[in-house]
């Protein structure tokens, strides 16, 4: 799915995703803003984060990721180092010392409270009244 990089889009995306499959138990969002909106909409539907739906953001925008309730698990791209490296390569290219190719930069997962180890529990599905086991493999027919 694609939309504006905003909390509003995160709320809209949550409605689309959760309407399509109320049993979704985890999402990875393209930014911390989208993730914050997703969390807000999921909580308005009565879902518990991370018990019912785990949410991961992207950016580690600490102003947002640490203030989201619960605090947001997110991917930190180490943008300061990324920007410094990009500037160094740009200046080298301007000086005639271009270095072509792909540069891989380290990132890290910042684990906060919007994710947790899988817990097996029953959750009623709003549309059908059935319940579904979340966090466990489906039963094996036999």
């Amino acid at each position: 799915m694609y939309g504006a990089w905003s909390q509003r889009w995160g709320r809209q995306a949550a409605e689309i995703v959760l309407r399509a499959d109320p049993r979704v138990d985890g999402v990875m969002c393209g930014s911390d803003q989208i993730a914050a909106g997703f969390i807000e909409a999921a909580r308005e539907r009565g879902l518990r984060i991370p018990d019912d739906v785990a949410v991961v953001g992207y950016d580690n925008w600490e102003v947002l990721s640490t203030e989201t309730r619960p605090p947001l698990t997110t991917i930190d791209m180490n943008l300061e180092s990324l920007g410094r490296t990009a500037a160094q390569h740009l200046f080298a290219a301007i000086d005639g010392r271009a270095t072509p190719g792909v540069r891989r930069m380290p990132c890290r997962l910042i684990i906060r409270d919007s994710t947790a180890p899988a817990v097996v529990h029953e959750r009623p599905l709003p549309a059908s009244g059935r319940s579904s086991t979340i966090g466990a493999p489906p039963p094996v027919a036999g």
Side-chain angles (χ1 to χ4, degrees):
M1 296 177 30
Y2 179 78
W5 290 65
S6 66
Q7 284 181 258
R8 177 178 291 158
W9 168 242
R11 290 188 299 270
Q12 292 170 345
E15 291 302 321
I16 293 166
V17 168
L18 296 171
R19 195 175 315 119
D21 185 355
R23 297 171 296 173
V24 167
D25 63 357
V27 295
M28 169 69 198
C29 299
S31 77
D32 290 347
Q33 286 178 286
I34 294 169
F38 191 101
I39 288 173
E40 184 180 321
R43 290 179 66 184
E44 286 173 2
R45 283 176 153 250
L47 298 174
R48 298 166 301 159
I49 310 297
D51 298 327
D52 297 323
V53 182
V55 180
V56 177
Y58 193 91
D59 292 328
N60 195 29
W61 185 18
E62 289 190 33
V63 170
L64 186 62
S65 62
T66 59
E67 296 302 318
T68 302
R69 292 292 167 245
L72 182 63
T73 294
T74 183
I75 295 176
D76 185 342
M77 289 299 300
N78 195 0
L79 294 177
E80 184 177 320
S81 176
L82 180 74
R84 184 175 42 256
T85 300
Q88 290 169 344
H89 284 280
L90 176 62
F91 291 138
I94 290 169
D95 288 342
R97 299 179 286 112
T99 53
V102 175
R103 302 288 178 259
R104 288 185 168 74
M105 302 292 297
C107 63
R108 61 192 174 124
L109 180 65
I110 308 297
I111 299 173
R112 295 192 181 100
D113 296 339
S114 68
T115 56
V119 176
V120 177
H121 63 276
E122 294 290 317
R123 175 176 61 164
L125 297 178
S128 67
R130 298 175 299 149
S131 64
S132 173
T133 302
I134 305 299
V140 176

